[in-house]
Amino acid sequence: MLFSWFRNRRRRKLRDAPFPAEWETIIEDNVRHVARLSEPERLQLESNVQVFVAEKNWEGVYGQEINDEVCVTVAAQACYLIVGLNIGWYDRVQSILIYPNAYSAPQQFTVSGSLVVEGRSHRLGEAWYRGPVVLSWPDVLSGGRREGRRSNLVFHEFAHELDMLNGGSADGTPPMHSPVDAERWKSVMTEEFSNLCRDCRSGQPSLLDCYGAENAAEFFAVATETFFQEPVRLRRRHPQLYETLSHFYRQDPATRLLPAT
Ligand SMILES: [Zn+2]
């Protein structure tokens, strides 16, 4: 109780401070998605970025420098996911470890309770429950600049963090807003996951990356990437999946890409 009073007071102070102009430039250059937010959404994101940067422990590994560009580029992408939720969804994330490149990781893909290790060389990262999120800086940057189209390492790892809020292990189901939502989630995600497994097995082209066919946790993380990176195509080709994710994230990113009328 006392802790949350102090925390709320500290957060109010952080949010009241003016948003640094240099941070705006960093977001403009490195997190292209933010330009499409409405004004209230952008203000919400910026205020969450101020809290996120201040509250997390930031650590560079193997000589990776930690500076404003690194922190703000990670924070803005992480906070993009929760524009419709709130910063409390990341309270369990304590620290962010940044590598200068894709780093050496176990070759075997594992999901063991509170740890998810990504084994793909082109976008390595890890998400721990109540522990660090580990990210390679070049992948953070290319996701924010939309260079990889569907891929976004930060969206992927922070989707795992949201997933793990529901019982501490990544199982593809983050905390739901209501029991009705949970029913709908289960039915849509199960069907879409099994369709992706079928398409990937038979070599059919799919909008969702086949990494999502590994298991339900990876399916949610990959679907999250596509939802925010390719919202219009996801809505057209997987309307039920789009609608379910839109309901959970309380965001409708496909409408942000339509020309204003
Ligand atoms: Zn993953």
Side-chain angles (χ1 to χ4, degrees):
M1 184 75 169
L2 192 62
F3 172 73
S4 71
W5 183 83
F6 276 115
R7 184 172 63 191
N8 291 340
R9 196 175 71 152
R10 192 186 61 234
R11 284 181 175 175
R12 263 198 308 277
K13 273 181 81 176
L14 289 166
R15 292 180 196 281
D16 285 347
F19 196 76
E22 310 81 64
W23 288 20
E24 270 178 21
T25 309
I26 292 167
I27 290 177
E28 219 170 275
D29 291 344
N30 291 352
V31 189
R32 305 271 159 83
H33 317 66
V34 175
R36 300 189 183 278
L37 293 178
S38 67
E39 186 65 2
E41 285 174 329
R42 190 181 57 78
L43 292 173
Q44 161 82 356
L45 178 131
E46 287 183 353
S47 122
N48 283 338
V49 165
Q50 285 172 295
V51 173
F52 191 100
V53 169
E55 286 189 350
K56 308 307 175 199
N57 298 311
W58 298 86
E59 223 176 297
V61 186
Y62 293 131
Q64 171 64 46
E65 189 190 347
I66 297 297
N67 53 28
D68 280 3
E69 184 184 15
V70 170
C71 298
V72 171
T73 303
V74 171
Q77 291 180 75
C79 291
Y80 191 82
L81 249 58
I82 54 153
V83 158
L85 303 171
N86 63 64
I87 194 70
W89 286 71
Y90 290 149
D91 281 352
R92 300 277 165 81
V93 177
Q94 296 169 349
S95 50
I96 318 283
L97 260 60
I98 308 287
Y99 279 71
N101 277 301
Y103 53 93
S104 166
Q107 290 189 333
Q108 195 178 6
F109 169 83
T110 58
V111 174
S112 60
S114 59
L115 167 65
V116 178
V117 177
E118 314 297 354
R120 285 182 304 174
S121 59
H122 67 285
R123 53 173 183 185
L124 286 177
E126 296 169 30
W128 294 69
Y129 181 60
R130 292 179 184 273
V133 173
V134 186
L135 302 165
S136 102
W137 172 238
D139 293 285
V140 168
L141 210 46
S142 68
R145 290 177 173 170
R146 300 178 61 90
E147 287 162 0
R149 287 184 66 97
R150 291 181 302 184
S151 309
N152 186 300
L153 180 66
V154 177
F155 293 168
H156 186 104
E157 298 307 333
F158 280 85
H160 282 318
E161 289 294 335
L162 298 177
D163 186 352
M164 285 190 272
L165 282 177
N166 197 8
S169 64
D171 61 2
T173 306
M176 294 283 104
H177 302 305
S178 77
V180 175
D181 289 0
E183 280 300 308
R184 174 82 179 148
W185 181 277
K186 193 173 166 199
S187 118
V188 170
M189 297 307 253
T190 304
E191 186 185 338
E192 295 279 352
F193 174 61
S194 105
N195 289 346
L196 181 64
C197 292
R198 183 200 59 212
D199 289 349
C200 293
R201 258 198 318 269
S202 63
Q204 290 289 315
S206 63
L207 176 61
L208 295 159
D209 192 306
C210 282
Y211 194 48
E214 293 275 351
N215 55 47
E218 293 309 332
F219 180 75
F220 168 53
V222 164
T224 292
E225 288 180 83
T226 314
F227 177 70
F228 287 110
Q229 296 281 106
E230 296 274 6
V232 173
R233 292 173 76 198
L234 186 70
R235 187 177 62 176
R236 191 169 59 236
R237 291 169 60 176
H238 299 266
Q240 289 193 93
L241 178 59
Y242 180 89
E243 184 271 332
T244 303
L245 289 169
S246 173
H247 193 74
F248 167 67
Y249 281 110
R250 293 180 168 151
Q251 295 192 54
D252 196 359
T255 58
R256 293 180 188 140
L257 304 173
L258 298 174
T261 51

